[in-house]
Each structure stands twice: as C-alpha cells, then as structure tokens.
Amino acid sequence: MDMINLERCKTGIGELDSLLNGGIPRGNSVLISGSCGTGKTTLSLEFLIHGVENGEKGLYISATEISSKVIKNMVPFQFFKEEYFDSGYIKIIDIPNIYSKLSLHKLEFEQEDIDKLIDYIADIVKNGDFKRIAIDSLTSICYRLRTEEKIRDFIIKFEEIVNKIGATALMVSELLPNAKGYSQYGVEEAVADGIILLGNLKRRGDLLRTLQIIKMRGTSHSRAEYVMDITPLGIMLSPLLKGWAVNQ
Amino acid sequence: MIQTSEIQRVFQENDVVLIKSSINVYTKSILELVNFGLENNKVIFYISATVPSSVFKTIFESTGLPHENIYFIDCTTYSFDITQDPNTIVVESPTMLETIIIKVMYLNKISRQNLPDKSPLIIVDSANSLAIHNDLGILSEFFHVLITMVRPTGSKLAILSIMEQLTDELSHTLELISDTVLTE
C-alpha cells in the first residue's frame, strides 16, 4: 500500500514500474547512477520513447554522444520509432551546441553562466511542452560547475523547472567502477528526488547488470537488487538470486 | 520411455512436472515431450544446458519434428559460436541463472505478440547439468523464481533430469518445487 497517492509517470519498463509502485512520482528528478556499460543511456531513452506512447513529449540533453549516434544506437530495439525523433516528439539537443549558443566557453562556470544555462533549458522545456526530460549526463555539466554550492544550485533550479511544469526528469550520473556513493561530487545524490543505481556485478567470472532503487521521494518502493538485461524489447529485470551469497 | 499420452495426462492437472528419465531413453523422452508440445498447440522454450541447441535442431530435423515453434535458450554454446538463428538465444554461461529467467520472460512476451494462440511449454534440460555449474542453494532459488514468474502466464514447465545421476539432495529439492513427478 502506498503512503501518498501521487500521480505517476510510468517508465514503461514493466518490472521497474512495479518496483516503484506504479512509476516515478510525477515531478521528480531522479539520478540514474552507474559506471560505464550499465545501461544508463538505454534506460533514459527507453523512458522517453515510452513517454511518447503515452502522449508525453521528451527532451534528451546529450553531453556524451552526438544526436545521430544516440538515435543509431536505439535502432535495434523494437520499441524504437524513428518518427518520434523526426516529428519532434523527442528532441535531442547536444550540450556543446547549447554552450556554443550561449557563449559559455569557460572551463568553470560562474553563477551568471549557470543562470543563463538554466534559463535556456527552462525556455526549451516550456516552449516544447516536454513532460519527460533526460540529461545524459549531469556529471558532465557538474564538471563545469566545480563547487558543491554551484552544483547544488544548478540541480535545485533544474528540479524547480521540472516540478513546476509537471514533468519528470532522469539525470544520468557517471560513476567510476568502484565508487562508494551514487554521484561523482556527492551533492547530486543528496539533492535528487530519487536514485536508481545501475551496476555491474561480477560473480564467478560472469558480469551481470544490476538495478536497485536507492531512494524515491513520494512513494514506497523496492530496495532489493535486481539483475537487469537489455533485450530487443528493452530493459527487463529478474530478482537477484542470493544463494551464492549466503556465506558472504 | 515416457509416452506422449502420459505427458498429456500429467500436464492436464499440473503446471510444473519433474521428469525423471533413465539415461538410456533420455533423448527419446525429450522427443516425446517436444512432440506433446507441438501436438498441443504449444510454443516451446527449450533451455539447453546439456548439449548445444544445434545438436537438438539436427535431431528434430532428422526425426521430422517441425521446429519453427521451438525457441532455444542455449547455455552450453557460450559465445564462441554465436548463432544467427532467430530461434536461438545464447546465454553465456549456465551460471547466469537470472539471465535465463529474463530470456524466458522475453520469449514469453515475444510469443504473446507473434503467436497469441499458443501457450508456452518450457523445457529445462537438465537439472543435472545446471547442478554441475551451480550449488543447490542458488539452483533451488532459480527454480522457485522461474516457477513463480511463469505460472501466472499459463505456461507449463517440464524439468528434465537423468535418474541415474540424481543425488538424493537434488532429487528432494526438485520434488519439492514440482507439482508432480513423472518417472520413466
């Protein structure tokens, strides 16, 4: 039973929505944390594509790959529909293009640069009526913010935009393989409304992808670790079998 | 050897059947089981942990069994010989039990889309082979999760085992998780 009956934004990944008691509470900004190869980008794009199926437009802010490559990598998936991208139901914008448009060339942003960036994102989100947003990755933006105060300020302002328009956001957080926390700078995990941790579990020579919901404001949720597989139908989950770990 | 009619009878009343077969008639029992599935409008998900799926495809072809509605989850080929066969999914190791579960659920979704009039028959070949690679604790957990996940889908599950190679412990566990036991 759920404590608060908040409106849900279904990710469209059946098992994940079940673990979240119906989906991400609408208006939340959620960290998708994980090291390389754990499926962060796939999860983010699948979230956006399923959104279009529900009549919700999606915005993908890309800092790691150019938009053509992002689309090309999604072609093998059965849920991929190129027309969603062609018709603008999903808009991809490259972070370097934003920096260039706003003349943000400094390696370390000042407060006014952050405000400019936030205002620009807010305009795009409002004008495009986007209800689902993915930033891939937040870490690369944080790299230019450098200090904890600036990172906190950026995320809080971004969350305000998301919440105000009733959108839901995924913020990709890149981790090193043996990282202890859920974000590179530590601030991101404290400010985010939710954290979904993607991992690589090495077990007797096998490398299993895992998924675990660490926190999600506004809902009760699973806290167990699941094995995740990326299939042509998208992300699928199975309970992690624990028999192997009984003595660990 | 277990007859198709016998298999039909037990699956009318049960969802999860442990089949204990003698090593001498093991392949024949598999053929009877597959035959039962095909005659009863089922799509077959064959988890092969004993011999590569290519061997069974050859056997099915030589015996005239149509195999277009048989999908393999092959845990023995590893990735050295990844097949382009659209009916075969390779799981890199029989120790990746969760991945096997996900592949079963994936095939279930695919078959619901493409073959909506057919219900799945899942064949695990075999409990003995999986026990070589996995300890009993995780293996029982695997079967328990698999059964819990497939039962609501209307699937039938046949767990094959070679009688002469079954330890008492494994046999007891398999009997616990199965609805009934069919012994050759």
Side-chain angles (χ1 to χ4, degrees):
Chain A
M1 193 185 290
D2 212 356
M3 296 175 293
I4 312 160
N5 195 15
L6 292 177
E7 192 190 339
R8 301 303 169 131
C9 174
K10 281 187 182 294
T11 64
I13 300 162
E15 295 94 347
L16 179 57
D17 286 329
S18 297
L19 301 182
L20 287 163
N21 259 321
I24 299 170
R26 198 170 290 282
N28 272 8
S29 294
V30 179
L31 271 193
I32 305 295
S33 300
S35 59
C36 59
T38 51
K40 303 181 293 293
T41 299
T42 305
L43 192 151
S44 305
L45 283 160
E46 193 173 345
F47 167 74
L48 294 185
I49 292 172
H50 289 313
V52 179
E53 289 159 7
N54 285 338
E56 296 175 12
K57 290 173 74 180
L59 174 67
Y60 184 81
I61 301 170
S62 174
T64 49
E65 283 178 316
I66 55 166
S67 50
S68 57
K69 208 171 161 193
V70 170
I71 295 174
K72 196 178 157 195
N73 289 341
M74 295 307 286
V75 171
F77 292 104
Q78 283 189 21
F79 58 79
F80 172 78
K81 304 263 189 317
E82 196 159 8
E83 60 267 29
Y84 290 174
F85 294 86
D86 295 341
S87 60
Y89 277 103
I90 296 175
K91 185 182 173 73
I92 301 182
I93 50 175
D94 297 324
I95 276 280
N97 290 347
I98 299 178
Y99 290 166
S100 176
K101 268 187 194 162
L102 300 176
S103 305
L104 300 174
H105 303 300
K106 283 175 265 180
L107 277 180
E108 184 175 349
F109 291 167
E110 304 298 331
Q111 189 57 48
E112 61 180 305
D113 300 323
I114 298 171
D115 292 341
K116 254 203 253 183
L117 183 60
I118 280 290
D119 289 345
Y120 185 82
I121 293 172
D123 279 347
I124 293 176
V125 170
K126 281 178 202 158
N127 295 336
D129 192 28
F130 294 111
K131 293 297 178 205
R132 295 189 183 210
I133 304 157
I135 300 183
D136 189 0
S137 68
L138 178 66
T139 313
S140 63
I141 295 176
C142 291
Y143 178 74
R144 300 270 191 128
L145 307 179
R146 301 283 171 97
T147 68
E148 285 188 8
E149 290 75 19
K150 286 180 192 167
I151 293 170
R152 185 183 296 271
D153 186 56
F154 174 81
I155 299 174
I156 288 174
K157 283 178 176 162
F158 174 73
E159 286 181 342
E160 276 172 11
I161 298 167
V162 171
N163 199 272
K164 206 171 168 182
I165 59 160
T168 307
L170 301 185
M171 306 180 290
V172 169
S173 169
E174 295 168 47
L175 297 179
L176 293 170
N178 296 316
K180 295 274 184 222
Y182 307 113
S183 56
Q184 187 106 216
Y185 299 91
V187 188
E188 305 95 299
E189 62 201 61
V191 186
D193 296 313
I195 303 170
I196 297 175
L197 177 66
L198 307 184
N200 281 317
L201 174 69
K202 203 165 183 182
R203 186 175 75 192
R204 295 171 64 196
D206 301 327
L207 195 60
L208 300 167
R209 286 193 176 98
T210 60
L211 180 148
Q212 190 170 25
I213 302 164
I214 304 297
K215 79 166 180 181
M216 191 63 64
R217 287 182 183 138
T219 183
S220 54
H221 60 83
S222 151
R223 288 176 60 83
E225 196 171 12
Y226 283 76
V227 170
M228 178 177 118
D229 194 18
I230 300 175
T231 75
L233 291 177
I235 287 172
M236 294 181 74
L237 303 174
S238 155
L240 174 71
L241 305 179
K242 297 173 185 74
W244 63 280
V246 164
N247 297 320
Q248 290 184 21
Chain B
M1 189 182 71
I2 294 160
Q3 301 295 323
T4 305
S5 55
E6 227 177 327
I7 298 168
Q8 180 132 22
R9 183 185 56 76
V10 290
F11 271 118
Q12 266 168 4
E13 294 161 6
N14 303 283
D15 294 330
V16 183
V17 177
L18 169 64
I19 297 175
K20 291 183 177 179
S21 175
S22 166
I23 195 160
N24 303 320
V25 290
Y26 189 70
T27 306
K28 283 181 184 164
S29 296
I30 290 171
L31 289 173
E32 288 293 317
L33 187 57
V34 170
N35 191 44
F36 152 76
L38 297 176
E39 278 184 0
N40 286 274
N41 199 32
K42 301 216 175 283
V43 55
I44 295 172
F45 307 157
Y46 196 103
I47 301 167
S48 58
T50 307
V51 292
S53 56
S54 55
V55 173
F56 273 109
K57 262 179 263 174
T58 310
I59 294 172
F60 295 153
E61 272 165 22
S62 65
T63 52
L65 277 172
H67 53 88
E68 60 268 22
N69 289 333
I70 305 174
Y71 292 85
F72 288 93
I73 298 169
D74 187 330
C75 317
T76 59
T77 302
Y78 301 92
S79 287
F80 301 131
D81 183 26
I82 288 183
T83 171
Q84 294 301 311
D85 177 7
N87 281 25
T88 303
I89 298 171
V90 172
V91 171
E92 274 188 292
S93 157
T95 52
M96 298 175 85
L97 297 172
E98 295 94 338
T99 309
I100 296 173
I101 293 170
I102 293 175
K103 298 305 183 196
V104 170
M105 300 314 287
Y106 165 73
L107 286 177
N108 196 42
K109 280 190 179 179
I110 290 282
S111 68
R112 276 211 310 264
Q113 280 175 11
N114 301 337
L115 304 160
D117 60 321
K118 291 187 188 295
S119 61
L121 167 66
I122 303 156
I123 300 173
V124 180
D125 176 18
S126 64
N128 307 67
S129 299
L130 289 175
I132 293 170
H133 299 274
N134 300 281
D135 68 40
L136 197 58
I138 199 164
L139 195 57
S140 10
E141 207 181 339
F142 161 72
F143 280 119
H144 189 249
V145 173
L146 182 66
I147 291 165
T148 309
M149 291 182 90
V150 301
R151 218 188 267 277
T153 66
S155 305
K156 301 286 185 185
L157 177 64
I159 303 168
L160 291 167
S161 63
I162 299 168
M163 218 162 21
E164 296 86 341
Q165 295 168 3
L166 269 181
T167 61
D168 287 347
E169 220 182 357
L170 179 58
S171 179
H172 180 64
T173 302
L174 294 173
E175 284 170 22
L176 266 179
I177 52 152
S178 305
D179 296 336
T180 191
V181 182
L182 194 54
T183 307
E184 182 262 332

